[in-house]
Amino acid sequence: MTTFTGQAGVNTFAAISLKTGLKLYAKTGMKPNALWTPKNMMAKATQITGQKFKARDYMGAVAALEAWIAANGTTGE
């Protein structure tokens, strides 16, 4: 079991959710929900990682989020 606690946990959960949503969109063209447009997801990826991405570089954003999660993520069991 994994738990996310405190602000760091919330940020980690958001990054993991965003990473999953971007992968879904890149592979299928499906948006995870109505508000998660490709533009909004890429803007949030930029906000979380501090990196700028080309307009449709979804997998680049996924890779950057994975690196951010590995460096900043907090999980517990």
Side-chain angles (χ1 to χ4, degrees), residues 6-61:
Q7 190 60 46
V10 171
N11 293 341
T12 301
F13 181 79
I16 292 169
S17 298
L18 180 60
K19 175 186 77 156
T20 303
L22 281 166
K23 276 186 182 179
L24 175 71
Y25 188 79
K27 290 181 181 183
T28 67
M30 289 177 27
K31 293 186 291 183
N33 68 47
L35 296 178
W36 279 24
T37 64
K39 183 178 178 179
N40 288 345
M41 288 190 287
M42 294 299 282
K44 186 65 175 178
T46 294
Q47 181 185 1
I48 290 171
T49 65
Q51 297 179 22
K52 292 195 179 200
F53 304 99
K54 292 183 180 180
R56 290 180 268 301
D57 185 16
Y58 306 119
M59 294 312 289

Side-chain angles (χ1 to χ4, degrees), residues 56-76:
R56 290 180 268 301
D57 185 16
Y58 306 119
M59 294 312 289
V62 166
L65 285 164
E66 287 173 344
W68 185 91
I69 291 163
N72 300 295
T74 57
T75 60

